[in-house]
């Protein structure tokens, strides 16, 4: 499920930072699920047990402000399921998708402040 993927991502990020001794200024996570993003930004005890336990794990290893929305049509994680050559060449380029650029991310942060 989508929540299991988010839990896995949060755990993996936490462990890699620890193992590699990375002191990144900030990390960001992207999801095309607005429902999941709402769950992550809310208190875990708002939800039923299944969702609450996953939200709690995600919040333990990441902060809700690190989570961003990407539209499903431009989500590179879905490229394999859609198998679109034009999308793959656009999003797997060395520069990556525009929403993941530092300038875009900082603009999003500044607009939220």
């Amino acid at each position: 499920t989508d929540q299991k993927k988010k839990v896995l991502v949060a755990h993996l990020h936490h462990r890699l930072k620890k193992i590699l001794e990375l002191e990144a200024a900030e990390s960001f996570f992207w999801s095309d699920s607005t429902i999941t993003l709402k769950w992550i930004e809310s208190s875990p005890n708002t939800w039923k047990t299944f969702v609450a336990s996953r939200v709690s794990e995600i919040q333990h290893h990441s902060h809700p402000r690190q989570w961003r929305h990407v539209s499903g049509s431009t989500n590179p994680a879905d490229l394999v399921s859609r198998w679109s050559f034009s999308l793959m060449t656009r999003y797997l380029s060395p520069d990556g998708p525009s929403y993941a650029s530092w300038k875009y991310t900082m603009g999003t942060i500044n607009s939220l402040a």
Side-chain angles (χ1 to χ4, degrees):
T1 64
D2 195 54
Q3 296 80 21
K4 287 181 184 177
K5 292 176 194 173
K6 304 305 183 261
V7 169
L8 179 62
V9 165
H11 275 279
L12 181 62
H13 176 262
H14 176 76
R15 289 182 179 156
L16 282 174
K17 278 183 71 173
K18 194 179 220 178
I19 290 168
L20 299 174
E21 299 176 354
L22 297 175
E23 294 296 328
E26 186 77 78
S27 298
F28 298 97
F29 308 98
W30 301 88
S31 175
D32 59 5
S33 171
T34 54
I35 293 170
T36 300
L37 292 172
K38 288 292 180 194
W39 289 342
I40 292 170
E41 71 184 28
S42 301
S43 173
N45 59 10
T46 306
W47 312 111
K48 292 189 178 187
T49 306
F50 179 80
V51 172
S53 65
R54 278 148 182 80
V55 168
S56 181
E57 281 188 78
I58 292 167
Q59 290 178 351
H60 178 75
H61 294 292
S62 65
H63 193 280
R65 76 170 177 271
Q66 293 176 280
W67 289 87
R68 303 275 189 264
H69 181 259
V70 59
S71 71
S73 62
T74 59
N75 186 353
D78 291 340
L79 291 176
V80 173
S81 62
R82 288 195 309 267
W83 196 253
S84 165
F85 183 74
S86 63
L87 283 176
M88 289 180 68
T89 55
R90 181 171 40 170
Y91 292 111
L92 298 179
S93 70
D95 296 328
S98 62
Y99 66 81
S101 74
W102 179 253
K103 183 178 178 183
Y104 179 91
T105 301
M106 291 310 295
T108 303
I109 291 169
N110 292 335
S111 69
L112 296 174

